[in-house]
Amino acid sequence: MPYTKIIGGEVFRHDGASLAEQQRSVAQKFTRNARLLQWVEEMVDLCRPDIVHWCDGSTLEYDFLSALMVETGTYIKLDEVKRPNSYFCRSDPADVARVEDRTFICSQRPEDAGPTNNWRNPAEMRHLLHNLFEGSMQGRTMYIIPYSMGPIGSPIAKIGIEITDSPYVVCNMHIMTRVGRNVLEVLGDDGDFCRGLHSVGVPLGKEQPDSAWPCNPASRHIVHFPETREIMSFGSGYGGNALLGKKCFALRIASAMARDEGWLAEHMLILKLTPPAGDPVRKDPIYVAGAFPSACGKTNLAMMTPALPGWKVETVGDDIAWMKFDPSDGRLHAINPEAGFFGVAPGTSMTSNPNAMATITADSIFTNVALTGDGDVWWEEMTPTPPPYLVDWLRRHWHPESGRKAAHANARFTTRASRCPVIAPEWEDPRGVPISAILFGGRRASVVPLVIESLSWQHGVFLGSIMASEKTAAAAGKVGVLRRDPMAMLPFCGYHMGDYFAHWLKMGQATTPDKLPRIFHVNWFRKDAQGKFLWPGYGDNARVLKWIYDRVQAGKADKAESMTPTAIGGLPAPGALDLSDLNIAPDAMGELMAINAQGWLNELPLIREHFAQFGSQLPQGLRDELVALEQRLRKAL
Ligand code: OXD
Ligand code: MN
């Protein structure tokens, strides 16, 4: 397909000496921002692409690049009737997920990255990356993607520029962020932006054919320079390694910006919860933000269909929240900086998440799922019975008897948030939505009850700081292997987590206590002694949300009687949790709500160990909370 015919004049070919000149004249049609123009020129010199393409975010551009990828074998177009305007893509089997051990934070001082990040000396890393990127785009097109994280022009939004040599990245960024010329208009002549440089790391020789998924696993580096707001990613084309707006900018770089500027960049979903029409005491909707470790059903919760009649959940975001105190009302306002969902496909079904299923009926990209014989997609649990024949994500014939998974466990769909049938109408409100409650969700088979209300902001931050997933099912009284993931930010905090906790504590002073969101810890994953889940989860989680609604809506329900204070925090008072028509084992509620004082006491040494790694940067407020918890537990025994 002759490239220059498709896009109206903003694409040009390298023809020897005139490359720099051509690039300059095209670039100036897009922007007069001197910093941006200079950076792009430097990167063209460094990476030496054959073609430079300034992205305008148009449908024409998306369609052109999709068609290009069909031609090169990266994409297969799905059946136009079954899955309109959608594409199927298989990555290299060595490039299927975020690579945390190849992810680096390069602050000047190692103590600013902290013990939970891979720190590297920035000067040494720049030198290494310079060598890797040198000539890395030869034979390829360099795409310049101007994108906004958050509604364009929102006071909470930020601008990034990603330079990449992957058309797959461009198409995914079209869906996951807001790409286009209007971003450059907002950037203006002297606005600043987060620089992101990305290459799959496979330069092409003259006659060398490309592979369907070029990548360079041996040289993978996902590198962040939080002090200069820069990202450099080499060798991987997959997900969070390559779509730099998501984890790299919106969490790792943005968390450092948020610390410096006094706001919060969090790994949180945002949902709108509306009580039934005609409820005599419950009237207004509330907005809830929630942090859960990766693969704990955040997308499902954000799009949930409540099991309680009349209650409604609508989605503002499913993965990331940027939150700022709004001077006009003193409340914490949140935006979803993303424009799409990059959701885990396996497990998504009409039972677990019908709204996600409706979102992906068209206009979507499916990566590393399985392909059906009639040009559609399938993954484990999508339907109760698998199709009789598939091509699996590794391009092999697959039958239900094959005895192996057809889709990769981290297979993904990329789809626009605006396609979601339960997207909240205000999801793009530039002011954001006021948050009434923050959920920290662990994945705990034992000890931790279904829901705990924090005793104060500081106690809530403490509960977030000890969030954990339990790997193995607990036998009676025993705790499985715990992986602490404070605020679900362990892989995503761009600076020292001790300082991050201190920042959270400081944010509690940014407004009056009555304006602060109330913090809760939830745990949908308690198991019984036989290893079976005690709580049904999914739509029944609305029962917990309803209780939270009543707890935060002062005057709307009888607050004092809905909560019982305990050693570990506030629990629903007897009868306060709506269990109407709940199908659950007779003893389950007792277990889900039990205060296991001895179990918590047994865990204190583990919390101390977890806290010890943060050294002197662990804020005193969290030490105080630990001491206070121990005292309350001993008293309770
Ligand atoms: C994600 C993750 O992909 O948290 O959202 O890993
Ligand atoms: Mn996530």
Side-chain angles (χ1 to χ4, degrees), residues 96-119:
V96 293
R98 288 187 292 103
V99 280
E100 288 177 15
D101 59 332
R102 305 300 306 156
T103 298
F104 303 94
I105 300 291
C106 298
S107 45
Q108 290 299 331
R109 305 181 321 156
E111 57 270 35
D112 290 335
T116 55
N117 280 314
N118 285 324
W119 177 83

Side-chain angles (χ1 to χ4, degrees), residues 402-604:
S402 297
R404 56 174 199 265
K405 298 252 156 71
H408 185 275
N410 192 38
R412 298 281 179 148
F413 53 78
T414 319
T415 193
R416 281 177 209 288
S418 57
R419 287 194 47 85
C420 178
V422 292
I423 197 77
E426 59 276 54
W427 82 280
E428 292 192 284
D429 185 339
R431 275 189 63 199
V433 295
I435 298 295
S436 297
I438 291 175
L439 314 183
F440 289 126
R443 190 185 182 95
R444 292 297 308 266
S446 67
V447 182
V448 180
L450 182 63
V451 56
I452 307 170
E453 179 180 334
S454 64
L455 304 167
S456 63
W457 180 264
Q458 177 171 288
H459 180 236
V461 174
F462 171 76
L463 290 175
S465 76
I466 62 167
M467 248 173 78
S469 305
E470 200 166 325
K471 285 253 178 74
T472 48
K478 281 235 179 91
V479 177
V481 179
L482 283 180
R483 181 186 187 264
R484 299 269 169 206
D485 186 0
M487 278 100 161
M489 281 291 278
L490 198 69
F492 305 120
C493 185
Y495 61 102
H496 194 300
M497 277 219 119
D499 295 339
Y500 169 79
F501 298 145
H503 178 59
W504 262 89
L505 292 179
K506 201 166 120 202
M507 292 299 287
Q509 252 112 64
T511 194
T512 51
D514 59 312
K515 300 270 171 66
L516 278 175
R518 199 83 63 86
I519 300 178
F520 297 82
H521 187 285
V522 298
N523 176 28
W524 320 133
F525 301 98
R526 268 299 280 276
K527 289 182 172 171
D528 65 14
Q530 283 72 48
K532 288 236 298 277
F533 285 114
L534 286 163
W535 181 249
Y538 300 108
D540 284 305
N541 293 337
R543 299 171 190 279
V544 176
L545 293 182
K546 179 182 174 186
W547 180 71
I548 288 171
Y549 182 98
D550 287 347
R551 295 298 304 152
V552 300
Q553 282 295 73
K556 301 280 162 75
D558 194 343
K559 290 182 66 194
E561 287 179 10
S562 62
M563 187 270 275
T564 307
T566 76
I568 56 171
L571 263 66
L577 205 58
D578 186 341
L579 302 177
S580 48
D581 302 317
L582 177 65
N583 188 7
I584 193 171
D587 309 336
M589 271 332 288
E591 264 190 80
L592 280 163
M593 300 298 236
I595 311 295
N596 178 353
Q598 191 54 54
W600 279 86
L601 276 170
N602 294 346
E603 223 169 287
L604 295 184

Side-chain angles (χ1 to χ4, degrees), residues 9-55 137 140-146 161-164 181 184 193:
E10 312 303 1
V11 166
F12 56 92
R13 249 172 218 292
H14 183 161
D15 66 0
S18 69
L19 173 71
E21 241 164 68
Q22 287 187 58
Q23 133 67 15
R24 221 167 282 138
S25 81
V26 172
Q28 285 182 359
K29 287 195 212 157
F30 277 78
T31 180
R32 301 260 161 199
N33 186 296
R35 259 190 291 253
L36 174 54
L37 288 169
Q38 189 189 337
W39 178 57
V40 170
E41 279 205 21
E42 284 169 12
M43 294 306 104
V44 170
D45 280 351
L46 175 67
C47 304
R48 300 202 295 277
D50 278 16
I51 298 173
V52 180
H53 174 153
W54 282 76
C55 296
M137 297 188 188
R140 295 191 182 280
T141 300
M142 169 188 274
Y143 302 92
I144 320 288
I145 314 172
I161 309 285
E162 175 163 358
I163 294 181
T164 178
R181 285 176 183 266
L184 293 173
F193 54 91

